[in-house]
Amino acid sequence: MNDHTSGWLELPDPAEAETFLKQHPDLQFVDLLIADMNGIVRGKRIDRSALKKVFEKGVALPASLYGLDILGETVESTGLGLEIGEADHICYPIPGSLTMESWQKRPIAQLLMTMYEDEETPFYADPRTVLKRVLRRFEELGLTPVTAFELEFYLIDQENINGKPQPPKSPISGKRPESVQVYSIDELDEYADFLSDVIESARQQGLPADTIVAESAPGQFEINLKHVDCPIRSCDNATLLRRVIKSVAYDHEMDTTFMAKPYAEQAGNGMHLHISLVDENGNNVFALDEETETPNDTMRWALGGLLEMMDDYMAILSPNINSYRRFSQGFYVPTWPCWGIENRTTALRIPAGEPEATRIEHRLAGTDANPYLLMAAMLASIHYGITHKIEPPAPIEGNAYEQQEVVLPNNLRDALRELESSGMMRDYLGDDFLNIFIACKEHEVEQFEQTISDLEYAWYLHTV
């Protein structure tokens, strides 16, 4: 399969813009949004008068948008910056993604975009395009992935202490949360107005957010998205929900972080991904065997692919230096490739439930991962496992942390080496894309390693 696959243009209909403008006569501006390699939403704001033209002809944005590091600076080794003269590519709207931004004080809308090299060729570095490459393989099998994300995040104060985060004061009690209260209703009550506004804003944008729980640390929450039968839309939902959460928090004079490990002594932020597969008749091909209640062939092979390729895709589900600080025992973060039925200590969990709802829950990724790339890597591994009939090891019973057998890469540099040498990931995700992703992340590792930390001064300044 070529990196530069044509014929994927989702033609936007200018009538969508005309109808929207009529429905919102007070509309002033529209934010054109596109998620970069890090999953950070970037773009530009246009006047309402330009909206119809965007639907008709697209809008130009620099290709270097996909060669940015976490600080938004161009990584020249990607070849997307000065080497090509900071050239623009055309971006087209995603049909059906035009919605109002309910948290704004003035009437502003938002519109998701995707980048193309020309009028017919998707840009290989756009994470949406990477995901589409993988989905075509499932179309050939007559299978449709049904997916859903769970997103963890911390509410934090807008004022940091010496550059470090702290929980926000409760709008009700005026106190900062200090203890761990998993599934606490009282914790939800303390921040009820904020959480209610998040759910309401999500609904107004058509995002299927339905469940909120207090998580494993002070000020930490999880919001679940309902499953949908379009993996790209599932990723859109996760990307836009993060934007909703951040924006609504600002309105409540708080901040949020999706950083994988913001507190050394508390749980990190995870992004669990639930995946099932349905055939052309709508049957869940992951349904457990009715007699033995064990995984069938397709489910086993999918598990086998996910487990065998875990080293290869570790850099995608843990794409930042801080990501690897989540992987410590005692915080419900799996640390090795294993699976189990209804076992939250394993990397892959098969939740109990009705046969038609049987699915794989992938529990390794942090909320700092790019949803589109995470989805692409997971589905690629599932497809690889099914088509190569890869058998998984035996399921784990009991505490997987006490049975660890294999060590995953525990830092970004090692994970990038595994990804770079993965023929399977290059085949599914594309050489050109992977080269850019790796260049961006290696640049961040180099910048980090050249920085002298406070701990180094404390250890060495007066001792050596």
Side-chain angles (χ1 to χ4, degrees), residues 452-464:
I452 301 174
S453 68
D454 291 342
L455 188 58
E456 289 175 86
Y457 285 121
W459 282 5
Y460 306 122
L461 186 62
H462 297 294
T463 58
V464 296

Side-chain angles (χ1 to χ4, degrees), residues 8-195:
W8 288 356
L9 179 57
E10 302 172 270
L11 288 173
D13 186 353
E16 181 180 345
E18 294 175 354
T19 300
F20 191 84
L21 291 171
K22 290 178 182 178
Q23 292 173 341
H24 302 278
D26 296 331
L27 179 67
Q28 294 182 10
F29 303 103
V30 180
D31 291 338
L32 307 181
L33 309 178
I34 196 160
D36 72 4
M37 197 72 76
N38 296 291
I40 297 173
V41 175
R42 304 187 187 275
K44 61 171 62 175
R45 178 168 291 178
I46 62 170
D47 185 80
R48 63 170 284 145
S49 61
L51 181 60
K52 186 177 178 182
K53 182 179 179 181
V54 169
F55 269 79
E56 292 173 342
K57 298 183 178 180
V59 66
L61 287 171
S64 59
L65 186 148
Y66 292 111
L68 302 179
D69 63 15
I70 197 68
L71 298 178
E73 299 176 356
T74 302
V75 178
E76 292 298 337
S77 58
T78 63
L80 297 179
L82 297 177
E83 184 175 321
I84 60 172
E86 287 286 348
D88 283 340
H89 282 9
I90 195 71
C91 296
Y92 291 104
I94 302 301
S97 67
L98 181 58
T99 59
M100 294 298 296
E101 297 176 349
S102 57
W103 60 85
Q104 297 282 8
K105 292 181 173 58
R106 60 179 64 185
I108 299 175
Q110 66 181 26
L111 178 63
L112 284 174
M113 311 291 289
T114 186
M115 185 173 286
Y116 278 70
E117 295 186 48
D118 53 45
E119 292 185 354
E120 294 185 352
T121 309
F123 187 41
Y124 62 87
D126 186 335
R128 291 178 67 93
T129 297
V130 176
L131 178 51
K132 284 184 178 181
R133 286 174 54 92
V134 177
L135 291 177
R136 284 202 158 184
R137 307 246 188 165
F138 283 90
E139 290 176 4
E140 294 167 357
L141 296 180
L143 297 174
T144 299
V146 178
T147 64
F149 285 99
E150 299 174 355
L151 283 75
E152 294 176 345
F153 65 95
Y154 275 95
L155 271 177
I156 58 175
D157 202 289
Q158 290 185 342
E159 182 179 347
N160 295 330
I161 301 177
N162 298 322
K164 296 181 180 179
Q166 61 177 336
K169 291 181 179 179
S170 163
I172 295 178
S173 68
K175 299 178 181 179
R176 300 187 193 278
E178 296 180 353
S179 62
V180 176
Q181 300 291 344
V182 180
Y183 286 87
S184 168
I185 298 300
D186 290 342
E187 188 88 348
L188 297 179
D189 288 341
E190 293 281 346
Y191 300 96
D193 288 345
F194 159 73
L195 296 170

